[in-house]
Amino acid sequence: MSIRSRIEQRAFSGDADETVISVMVAADHLDQQLASVISAHGLTPDQYNVLRILRGVHPDGHPRHEIARRMIHRAPDVTRMLDRLVNRKLITRVRDPGDARLSVARITPAGLALLRRIDPEVEEAQRKATAMLSPAERKELARLCDRLVT
């Protein structure tokens, strides 16, 4: 089914309109595929993203503003999201010794273990979601998306 028929669009106002709508619909479709896997583990996609960000710098951490800058979706209340992850013991937050105004979040062993459990399921969902594309098409799509945001 084409995106045009999925959203019951007779015509687009131009190439740019069709491109933007197509990317948005495709992104929403992929978000839904991954969200179902992630939510089965009691996380929101944004919480999962935070854990992945912190795993990427483990054993170091990031202050809240750096986590917010690196997130896929701009989240309005990163502080509250971090507090929830602290309550679940998936991350810790400690004051930065160089700047007492900042706290640095770090992923815990429990957070790393949760990601290890989720990783194979996420990878499988990603494989299924992109199975209709060849490896060259996947690379090209990633390249084109990079061009849209740079």
Side-chain angles (χ1 to χ4, degrees):
M1 172 186 285
S2 72
I3 289 175
R4 181 179 293 201
S5 63
R6 181 183 175 278
I7 64 171
E8 299 182 21
Q9 182 87 23
R10 285 190 179 153
F12 292 100
S13 64
D15 290 345
D17 185 39
E18 182 174 12
T19 300
V20 169
I21 297 297
S22 296
V23 169
M24 291 172 66
V25 170
D28 183 62
H29 173 73
L30 295 173
D31 276 347
Q32 290 178 22
Q33 300 295 310
L34 294 176
S36 66
V37 170
I38 293 163
S39 66
H41 293 274
L43 293 174
T44 67
D46 287 337
Q47 289 171 330
Y48 173 73
N49 190 19
V50 167
L51 292 176
R52 288 186 64 225
I53 290 166
L54 293 176
R55 174 174 61 184
V57 295
H58 179 70
D60 296 323
H62 281 309
R64 182 202 56 77
H65 71 274
E66 185 61 24
I67 293 168
R69 188 183 72 77
R70 292 170 180 248
M71 290 187 68
I72 294 169
H73 300 111
R74 298 292 180 227
D77 197 351
V78 175
T79 301
R80 196 172 310 163
M81 185 184 340
L82 294 175
D83 289 343
R84 287 187 197 107
L85 292 170
V86 167
N87 289 340
R88 293 187 57 193
K89 300 185 179 356
L90 298 174
I91 69 168
T92 60
R93 287 175 70 194
V94 295
R95 291 281 169 213
D96 183 334
D99 186 347
R101 296 170 297 164
L102 293 178
S103 66
V104 175
R106 289 182 177 83
I107 193 166
T108 64
L112 291 169
L114 178 58
L115 287 180
R116 280 192 299 274
R117 286 193 307 276
I118 295 173
D119 284 343
E121 295 174 44
V122 167
E123 289 167 11
E124 180 61 21
Q126 290 170 337
R127 273 192 295 279
K128 285 181 180 177
T130 61
M132 70 296 301
L133 301 174
S134 70
E137 289 172 323
R138 288 192 295 270
K139 283 192 174 293
E140 179 66 4
L141 180 57
R143 187 188 69 75
L144 291 171
C145 288
D146 276 346
R147 288 194 56 202
L148 286 174
V149 298
T150 54

